[in-house]
Amino acid sequence: MICSEVIKRQILQLTWRQLRRNSHSIAPVGKVLTNDDFTLLLADEQRQKCMDKLRNLPTFVPPKSLAHNKREKRPAAVLIALCVERDTNAISLLYTRRSRHLRSHSLQISFPGGKRDEDDVSFQDCALRETEEEIGLPRDRVQIWGESNPILLPRTSAIVPVVGVVKDFHISELKLNNDEVEEAISIPLKSLILPSATRHTQFRSGYSGPVLVVDHYRIWGITGYLTYVFLRCLLPSNMKCDALKTSVKFIRPYKLPPPLKHHHVEPKFDDKKL
């Protein structure tokens, strides 16, 4: 009798813990962007604020174990395209999934772009050329906002993000180069700013970085970092979730939490009743 009471009590405790865990796992609701918000984000004043912040990013100083790759001498440029969707006028960011046939970073999500060639007159020219080669978006479709200073990150060449706007956009207008790109993706801005979208990943080298997860798309690594930084520069404070308001260092020591003590309840038996 006492044994059965103990088992019932343990089941009730487990059920209560599960209910509490589920109640805390409900994702907080982020700001719902309206057409007025999209208009504000594309206004000249907000554009200037965004580019000023991008050009004044603090210098990235990695630890010695993650020094800049000196063998990568050719800098690169990527296009961060703010796409105004044709049917809704909502803003999305344009990404590509790299081809499965590429030797490095295959099937990972990235911004259109690549290494700067000798024939490129500027980083802007490089980003637009690479974008047109990869996904067939003509350069005259992109209204350029400007470019940031070169960003130095671990184990890669210097990267210059070039920001532009593509109006009246529809994903069907793109013509993919299948040797380089598996698919093109326009991810709604309203999905990227949800609190549930912002996470982090931990690398074996001992550093962690921001990750954004929307549906089955996982934006991490250099693209995750660039997306995170760009959203912080683009969005006014009232449009940011808490994760975007806090300045998270790209490199952060990672420590495992101490192991939890295991509590084991021994059932008590009454010898007299047995």
Side-chain angles (χ1 to χ4, degrees):
M1 191 71 162
I2 295 178
C3 180
S4 63
E5 290 296 327
V6 171
I7 294 174
K8 288 181 180 178
R9 191 180 303 115
Q10 290 177 342
I11 293 174
L12 288 173
Q13 288 175 346
L14 289 172
T15 304
W16 173 244
R17 289 173 186 170
Q18 187 64 39
L19 287 172
R20 289 188 63 188
R21 189 179 295 113
N22 290 342
S23 67
H24 289 298
S25 65
I26 298 174
V29 177
K31 176 178 173 58
V32 178
L33 298 181
T34 65
N35 285 337
D36 289 340
D37 293 324
F38 296 138
T39 301
L40 171 66
L41 291 175
L42 298 179
D44 291 342
E45 182 180 355
Q46 194 62 28
R47 177 189 64 186
Q48 190 62 49
K49 289 180 180 179
C50 175
M51 296 311 302
D52 286 345
K53 291 178 182 178
L54 275 177
R55 294 187 181 109
N56 290 283
L57 291 173
T59 304
F60 180 81
V61 183
K64 294 180 180 179
S65 60
L66 290 171
H68 174 64
N69 189 346
K70 295 181 180 179
R71 292 179 298 178
E72 294 282 2
K73 296 182 179 180
R74 289 172 56 199
V78 298
L79 177 66
I80 302 180
L82 291 159
C83 299
V84 182
E85 298 289 343
R86 182 174 303 162
D87 299 328
T88 62
N89 286 328
I91 295 176
S92 62
L93 294 189
L94 182 60
Y95 297 90
T96 66
R97 187 188 294 278
R98 291 168 59 85
S99 170
R100 66 182 68 237
H101 304 297
L102 295 175
R103 292 182 178 180
S104 62
H105 309 296
S106 60
L107 295 178
Q108 292 186 13
I109 293 178
S110 65
F111 288 115
K115 298 293 179 63
R116 181 172 176 175
D117 288 345
E118 294 181 358
D119 295 334
D120 295 326
V121 297
S122 63
F123 286 108
Q124 174 181 320
D125 189 42
C126 172
L128 294 176
R129 174 186 58 77
E130 286 282 352
T131 299
E132 190 164 8
E133 289 177 1
E134 290 179 3
I135 59 177
L137 182 68
R139 60 177 59 210
D140 59 8
R141 289 280 283 117
V142 186
Q143 299 176 9
I144 295 296
W145 276 12
E147 61 188 49
S148 78
N149 294 328
I151 298 176
L152 293 175
L153 296 174
R155 299 175 179 174
T156 187
S157 60
I159 299 174
V160 176
V162 177
V163 182
V165 175
V166 183
K167 294 186 176 180
D168 192 31
F169 175 79
H170 195 277
I171 199 76
S172 63
E173 69 182 276
L174 303 179
K175 298 178 181 178
L176 307 187
N177 178 351
N178 295 321
D179 292 332
E180 297 188 40
V181 175
E182 195 84 7
E183 66 174 316
I185 313 153
S186 62
I187 299 183
L189 186 63
K190 65 180 182 180
S191 298
L192 289 168
I193 68 173
L194 288 175
S196 58
T198 307
R199 308 180 190 181
H200 80 280
T201 190
Q202 179 64 41
F203 295 90
R204 294 179 181 177
S205 303
Y207 70 98
S208 59
V211 176
L212 292 108
V213 179
V214 177
D215 297 330
H216 61 284
Y217 296 114
R218 184 171 181 263
I219 307 167
W220 66 293
I222 294 172
T223 308
Y225 174 74
L226 294 178
T227 301
Y228 180 84
V229 168
F230 176 69
L231 292 177
R232 282 176 50 82
C233 295
L234 172 70
L235 300 170
S237 181
N238 67 319
M239 295 187 194
K240 296 176 184 175
C241 64
D242 290 339
L244 291 173
K245 290 179 181 179
T246 305
S247 180
V248 178
K249 294 181 179 179
F250 181 51
I251 288 188
R252 172 171 79 238
Y254 182 79
K255 295 181 180 179
L256 289 173
L260 297 175
K261 294 181 179 180
H262 179 67
H263 296 281
H264 179 68
V265 179
E266 292 286 348
K268 297 180 180 180
F269 299 97
D270 189 341
D271 292 338
K272 295 180 180 180
K273 292 187 178 180
L274 295 175

